[in-house]
């Protein structure tokens, strides 16, 4: 599967806008994406292993939180899109 990476997170993946990863669920795909990168993992997940509330993941046009969350199945060849809310002022 492919994960599309938003600009603020591309530094964790060598500047790439998308990355191919293995996994049958959203959790497995994100674990593969962040493997060996504790800082990146901490950006996406809480200490309890749940997505941070400002991190959104879409399977096609559907928010994965509505599809079963991190345990949602991801079909072979699918694309996940990461989106992060930015704050500032």
């Amino acid at each position: 599967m492919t994960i599309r990476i938003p600009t603020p997170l591309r530094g964790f993946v060598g500047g790439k806008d998308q990355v191919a990863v293995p996994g049958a669920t959203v959790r497995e795909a994100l674990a593969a994406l962040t493997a060996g990168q504790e800082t990146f993992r901490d950006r996406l997940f809480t200490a309890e292993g749940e997505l941070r509330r400002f991190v959104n993941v879409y399977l096609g046009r559907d928010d994965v939180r509505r599809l079963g969350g991190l345990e949602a199945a991801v079909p072979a060849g699918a694309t996940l899109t990461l989106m992060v809310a930015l704050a500032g002022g």
Side-chain angles (χ1 to χ4, degrees):
M1 92 183 58
T2 300
I3 300 179
R4 290 187 181 138
I5 311 296
T7 302
L9 299 178
R10 289 180 187 167
F12 293 107
V13 295
K16 298 175 185 172
D17 64 349
Q18 56 185 9
V19 177
V21 297
T25 65
V26 174
R27 184 182 302 278
E28 290 174 4
L30 294 178
L33 178 68
T34 60
Q37 299 186 68
E38 186 175 334
T39 302
F40 190 14
R41 187 173 47 249
D42 289 346
R43 278 275 184 93
L44 301 182
F45 295 101
T46 65
E48 294 77 28
E50 296 303 317
L51 279 178
R52 293 192 178 279
R53 63 187 168 114
F54 59 84
V55 175
N56 296 303
V57 181
Y58 293 88
L59 176 56
R61 295 178 182 225
D62 298 313
D63 185 330
V64 299
R65 287 182 173 100
R66 294 191 172 118
L67 300 175
L70 292 172
E71 304 314 319
V74 180
T79 298
L80 291 175
T81 302
L82 282 178
M83 298 186 85
V84 291
L86 299 175

